[in-house]
Amino acid sequence: MAIDTERVQTIEEIEPFEAAEEINGGDVVLIDTREPHEYQEAHLENGKLVPPGLLADEIATAAPDKSARTILYCRSGNRSALAAAQLQQLGYENVASMSGGIIQWQEQGLPVVAAHGMTPEQRERYSRHTLLPEVGVDGQVKLLNSKVLLLGAGGLGAPTALYLAAAGVGTIGLVDDDVVDASNLQRQVIHNTERIGMPKTTSARIFIEGLNPDVNVVEHNGRLDASNILDVMKDYDIVVDGADNFPTRYLLNDASVRLKKPVVSASILGFDGQISTFVPFEGPCYRCLYPTPPPAELAPSCSANGVLGVMAGTMGTLQANEVIKLVLGKGEPLIGRLLLYEALGTRFTELKVRRDPECPICGENAEEIPESEMGQFPDYDAFCAGAGGDRQSIA
C-alpha cells in the first residue's frame, strides 16, 4: 500500500511517558511494528507484534476495532509513524505513534519485557548482533554459552581471540608455551610493548578481560602433546588451530577426530594464507588434505621467510567468522573447502576437498580406537621428520 507522506507528517506523536500513562489507564491497543527478532530481544508488556511487511494482512486480527485508541511503537519512531499513516488509510480513527520508540522508552526508565538469558548490560553490548535475524537473542545466548579452545595465542590466535571475545563467546581457552617478544608485535595485536617477556596466555587474558568481562579466559600455559591433548580438548566445543609445527597439527587432527570436535585451521606465510574447517565425518580431516607433511624447503617458518602483519588479521578474523557460524548453526562453514588468499593481488581462490576413503584416521577402513587406548598416539615427531619437514607456515 502506498503511503501518503503528507499524512505521515501530520500523524499524532506522543512521548513515551504519555504513552505509558495511556497504557496504564487501559483501553489501549498497543502495536509493536518491529521485526520478530527485535521483539524477542525486548518489548513492551501487552504489545502485539505486527511486522511492517505484514501490517495490512494482520492488523485486523491484532486491532479489530478501528475506533479504539491504538498506539504504535518501533525502535526509534520512524517505522511506527509510517505504520500509523497506513492504519489511517485503512480506516483507523484514533492512532498515535510513540516518538523515540522503545529506545527512548528505556532511556526514560520505563519497564520492558526483556529476553531471558541476557542481562540488560548484555542486551546493550550485543544489540548489533541481536538485530540480525541470523543471530537474535537465541544465537547470542548460544555464543555466551559456547566454549572455544585456541591453539596458539600468536599471529592467528590474537585476532581470532579478539573477535570471539568481542562477540561474547563465553569461554575461551588459550594454549601457548611462549612469551611475548618484540618481534611478535608487528602482527600479534593482542599483546603490547609493556607485556614483552610475559607468557602469551597471560598477556592475551589481560587484554580479553579488559575488552569483555563476560568472557571466562582459561590459560593453558604449555604445549599440547599426546599426554594432555584429550584432557585439554574435551571440555571445549570447537578448536581453533594456529599451531606452529606439523607434529602438533597432526596430533590435533587425530585427537579431534577421536573426540568428534570441529577444528578451524589456518596458516599464513609471506603474503599467502589458507583456511579450512574440519568437522569429523562431515567432511575431510587434515590428513585427507595432507597425508604427509611437505619437505622442509616447501614449508619454511615465518621467522625464516617473514610474513605480512595484516595477513594474520585477515586469516584470524576469517577463523573467528567460521567459529561463529559453527556456534550459531548458520551459513556455510568451510567444510570440504580450502580457501586460499593472496594478499598482493587481493585474490581468494576456493578449492573443493573431499574425504579420503583410505584416510587412516577418518576413512572407511579406519580402526576404532578402544577406550583403553584412547590416549595413545603415534610418534608425530618421527612421522614428520621422516617426511622431510617439521615446521608449518604459521604466524
Side-chain angles (χ1 to χ4, degrees):
M1 176 184 292
I3 301 296
D4 184 342
T5 54
E6 291 186 5
R7 181 170 290 183
V8 171
Q9 295 174 358
T10 60
I11 286 294
E12 178 188 354
E13 288 194 326
I14 59 174
E15 293 294 320
F17 71 89
E18 295 174 316
E21 288 182 352
E22 286 197 48
I23 293 167
N24 292 334
D27 297 326
V28 170
V29 179
L30 182 62
I31 302 295
D32 188 319
T33 63
R34 299 174 300 156
E35 299 295 339
H37 61 278
E38 297 176 277
Y39 182 87
Q40 186 183 29
E41 180 185 352
H43 58 270
L44 306 192
E45 188 173 7
N46 297 322
K48 299 177 181 180
L49 175 64
V50 183
L54 301 176
L55 189 68
D57 296 326
E58 297 186 1
I59 191 61
T61 301
D65 185 356
K66 293 185 178 182
S67 64
R69 177 59 164 171
T70 305
I71 297 176
L72 300 95
Y73 75 93
C74 62
R75 179 174 173 80
S76 60
N78 295 325
R79 284 174 287 178
S80 59
L82 290 171
Q86 188 174 352
L87 289 195
Q88 283 190 346
Q89 288 179 286
L90 291 171
Y92 285 79
E93 303 168 2
N94 192 3
V95 179
S97 170
M98 189 173 76
S99 63
I102 195 171
I103 292 177
Q104 190 169 324
W105 175 282
Q106 290 179 288
E107 288 175 350
Q108 294 183 5
L110 297 168
V112 298
V113 179
H116 295 294
M118 291 176 64
T119 65
E121 293 77 17
Q122 288 172 332
R123 292 198 302 276
E124 180 179 4
R125 178 182 286 268
Y126 307 116
S127 61
R128 299 305 185 271
H129 265 179
T130 55
L131 284 171
L132 296 169
E134 295 82 359
V135 182
V137 173
D138 289 344
Q140 188 60 52
V141 171
K142 286 181 181 179
L143 288 167
L144 289 165
N145 291 332
S146 65
K147 298 179 179 180
V148 179
L149 179 67
L150 273 62
L151 181 51
L156 292 170
T160 306
L162 290 181
Y163 275 96
L164 291 182
V169 167
T171 299
I172 295 178
L174 300 170
V175 180
D176 207 304
D177 66 344
D178 202 1
V179 299
V180 179
D181 183 82
S183 66
N184 302 147
L185 303 181
Q186 158 256 15
R187 65 202 179 281
Q188 299 181 18
V189 292
I190 207 166
H191 310 300
N192 65 24
T193 303
E194 294 178 355
R195 297 200 289 272
I196 289 176
M198 182 181 293
K200 286 185 178 179
T201 57
T202 303
S203 173
R205 175 182 57 77
I206 291 171
F207 190 102
I208 292 170
E209 289 176 345
L211 174 65
N212 190 348
D214 288 342
V215 181
N216 173 38
V217 181
V218 181
E219 290 187 59
H220 302 279
N221 188 12
R223 200 170 190 85
L224 284 186
D225 57 33
S227 69
N228 64 13
I229 188 166
L230 295 179
D231 285 337
V232 172
M233 286 178 56
K234 64 182 174 63
D235 294 328
Y236 294 92
D237 306 313
I238 300 168
V239 181
V240 176
D241 175 18
D244 63 355
N245 62 86
F246 277 118
T248 301
R249 284 185 182 261
Y250 282 99
L251 171 64
L252 172 61
N253 175 76
D254 296 0
S256 68
V257 172
R258 292 187 189 186
L259 295 175
K260 297 182 175 60
K261 303 279 187 181
V263 175
V264 179
S265 181
S267 62
I268 59 175
L269 182 67
F271 298 93
D272 299 304
Q274 64 179 41
I275 178 174
S276 189
T277 294
F278 304 112
V279 178
F281 307 110
E282 288 188 28
C285 73
Y286 187 79
R287 277 186 187 260
C288 294
L289 271 69
Y290 306 107
T292 59
E297 62 270 17
L298 297 181
S301 66
C302 291
S303 60
N305 274 41
V307 62
L308 184 69
V310 296
M311 281 297 302
T314 301
M315 303 312 294
T317 50
L318 284 174
Q319 284 184 290
N321 185 58
E322 286 295 292
V323 170
I324 290 171
K325 287 190 294 182
L326 290 173
V327 172
L328 298 177
K330 300 291 184 180
E332 258 188 278
L334 287 168
I335 302 171
R337 297 185 290 152
L338 179 66
L339 188 66
L340 310 177
Y341 175 61
E342 192 272 305
L344 285 179
T346 316
R347 293 186 181 91
F348 285 95
T349 303
E350 183 179 300
L351 303 176
K352 297 290 185 182
V353 290
R354 294 177 173 83
R355 287 180 64 188
D356 178 3
E358 302 301 320
C359 175
I361 302 302
C362 75
E364 297 171 359
N365 299 318
E367 296 183 7
E368 186 171 344
I369 306 296
E371 187 69 28
S372 60
E373 299 179 11
M374 193 68 168
Q376 297 180 20
F377 294 95
D379 186 339
Y380 295 97
D381 290 312
F383 169 69
C384 293
D390 64 348
R391 293 285 297 180
Q392 172 63 294
S393 52
I394 58 92

